[in-house]
Amino acid sequence: NRKVKEFQWKCIHRIIYTENRLKIMHMSNGKCHLCDEINNIETLEHLFYQCINVKPLIETVVRNLQLCNLISDEVLVEKDILLGTCTENSNNSIVNAIILYFKWAIWKIRNKCKFDKIKLNVQSIQALLKLHMKNELKFLLLRSDIKYICKTKIKLFIEKF
């Protein structure tokens, strides 16, 4: 989907309008909308890797990637999550797609919190994340250019999630 690709390009080039970026332009206080902690400035690193409400979700995704034998027992490092550039094995395109849809779902949830002016707890964020990711990954399965074996692994990931 064009929006997701554009989002990934913006992440890689660090031009996503996080609250920290908006703070520099005097358009925000810089505070993260997911954890709402005063000392937590919303940067890309914070939003997709360090936020206390996102960390358990990353752990769930990593655990499910391991259960589906898509990655080894090694934990994905911060740059893998931020850039979506896991190059660990032959499943890297599937893993990178899942990471990308994870970030896209977190961004959409963050925007919901920001623009609807709501505060979500970690359970609500997790429920929304599962819903967004399952929907996005199901659309991925409809693509004709994806090999059968990849589709099988994605289906298994969706079931475990």
Side-chain angles (χ1 to χ4, degrees):
N1 144 346
R2 184 186 57 78
K3 283 186 177 185
V4 177
K5 286 180 183 178
E6 186 178 300
F7 172 76
Q8 176 65 355
W9 187 88
K10 287 179 178 181
C11 281
I12 290 171
H13 292 88
R14 305 185 69 74
I15 55 174
I16 296 286
Y17 284 95
T18 59
E19 293 302 309
N20 184 52
R21 191 175 180 100
L22 293 171
K23 182 180 180 180
I24 292 167
M25 294 185 263
H26 305 288
M27 299 173 73
S28 170
N29 63 5
K31 193 167 62 168
C32 176
H33 290 282
L34 293 180
C35 65
D36 218 23
E37 297 283 328
I38 291 175
N39 296 331
N40 289 337
I41 300 297
E42 186 192 83
T43 61
L44 286 175
E45 292 81 3
H46 175 80
L47 185 62
F48 298 129
Y49 197 78
Q50 299 165 349
C51 179
I52 59 171
N53 286 336
V54 173
K55 268 198 178 285
L57 306 176
I58 293 170
E59 291 166 4
T60 300
V61 169
V62 169
R63 190 174 341 101
N64 288 336
L65 288 170
Q66 291 167 341
L67 287 171
C68 297
N69 294 319
L70 291 168
I71 61 172
S72 67
D73 290 337
E74 295 176 28
V75 177
L76 293 174
V77 295
E78 186 173 347
K79 80 165 185 61
D80 294 333
I81 302 288
L82 292 174
L83 300 177
T85 55
C86 174
T87 56
E88 180 183 314
N89 57 33
S90 61
N91 295 314
N92 62 359
S93 61
I94 299 169
V95 173
N96 290 337
I98 289 170
I99 291 170
L100 173 56
Y101 287 121
F102 169 81
K103 291 189 309 188
W104 178 243
I106 292 295
W107 183 250
K108 287 168 66 173
I109 294 165
R110 174 260 190 206
N111 286 341
K112 180 173 183 56
C113 291
K114 176 178 178 158
F115 296 114
D116 293 349
K117 296 183 181 7
I118 59 172
K119 173 72 175 118
L120 298 174
N121 61 25
V122 72
Q123 292 82 11
S124 300
I125 294 171
Q126 186 169 23
L128 282 171
L129 176 75
K130 285 182 180 184
L131 179 69
H132 284 300
M133 284 198 62
K134 284 182 179 183
N135 288 337
E136 294 290 345
L137 291 173
K138 284 179 182 174
F139 280 118
L140 188 62
L141 293 174
L142 298 175
R143 290 183 42 180
S144 60
D145 61 330
I146 297 191
K147 297 176 188 169
Y148 176 77
I149 189 74
C150 294
K151 287 184 178 185
T152 305
K153 290 179 179 184
I154 293 169
K155 284 179 187 174
L156 181 62
F157 180 84
I158 290 170
E159 289 170 15
K160 299 269 185 210
F161 204 61

